[in-house]
Amino acid sequence: MNTEAEKRSLLLEMILFATVDGHLHKRELDFLRIVANELGIGETEFQDLFHQETKPLPIKSEMQRINQFYRLALLMHCDGILHEKEFKAIQQIALEMGLNPTAVKRVLELMKKAPNTVLDPNVVVKVFQEQHN
């Protein structure tokens, strides 16, 4: 992640995704706050992102797109409720990112089977790399 604009864009995409079901649950907000903190985005700027109507910037690196997809997948599961709108939205976002649909489906299935829906990030990357062969 190079620029502040790219960091804000990633977080903005996550905020848009978190509210796709019409609700922002406390656990989703907490997760977003953790990501904002990791990206070095302060509380005021974080709050301002909820009122922006700009579209997220495209992510150039495949590894960054995979990481963003995984963040979104974690966000989707963090409230303990898997909404159909979230499931469809994450698949559409992954498609728009240019990620392999088979790998996306496989990662989401692995997350469903995992005890706490968290996967080792190396497993996520491996699933996407397998699709290159």
Side-chain angles (χ1 to χ4, degrees), residues 45-101:
E45 188 176 359
F46 173 67
Q47 292 296 327
D48 287 344
L49 287 172
F50 284 90
H51 306 289
Q52 291 187 12
E53 295 183 23
T54 58
K55 289 195 172 214
L57 300 171
I59 304 169
K60 295 177 184 169
S61 156
E62 181 181 26
M63 188 57 67
Q64 288 178 340
R65 291 192 310 264
I66 292 168
N67 286 336
Q68 180 67 353
F69 161 75
Y70 185 54
R71 282 187 208 105
L72 292 171
L74 289 170
L75 179 61
M76 177 174 77
H77 287 93
C78 78
D79 64 356
I81 303 166
L82 183 59
H83 293 276
E84 184 65 25
K85 287 182 179 181
E86 290 173 327
F87 188 73
K88 288 180 180 179
I90 198 167
Q91 290 179 322
Q92 183 61 36
I93 290 168
L95 187 63
E96 291 170 4
M97 286 181 177
L99 295 177
N100 183 292

Side-chain angles (χ1 to χ4, degrees), residues 14-29 32 50 75 79 81 83 85-86:
M14 294 180 75
I15 289 168
L16 292 171
F17 181 71
T19 57
V20 76
D21 63 357
H23 302 286
L24 181 62
H25 298 275
K26 182 182 180 331
R27 292 177 80 184
E28 291 171 325
L29 181 61
L32 290 168
F50 284 90
L75 179 61
D79 64 356
I81 303 166
H83 293 276
K85 287 182 179 181
E86 290 173 327

Side-chain angles (χ1 to χ4, degrees), residues 2-20:
N2 297 336
T3 69
E4 289 300 313
E6 289 172 328
K7 292 176 183 180
R8 284 190 304 274
S9 178
L10 289 177
L11 195 55
L12 179 60
E13 181 176 40
M14 294 180 75
I15 289 168
L16 292 171
F17 181 71
T19 57
V20 76

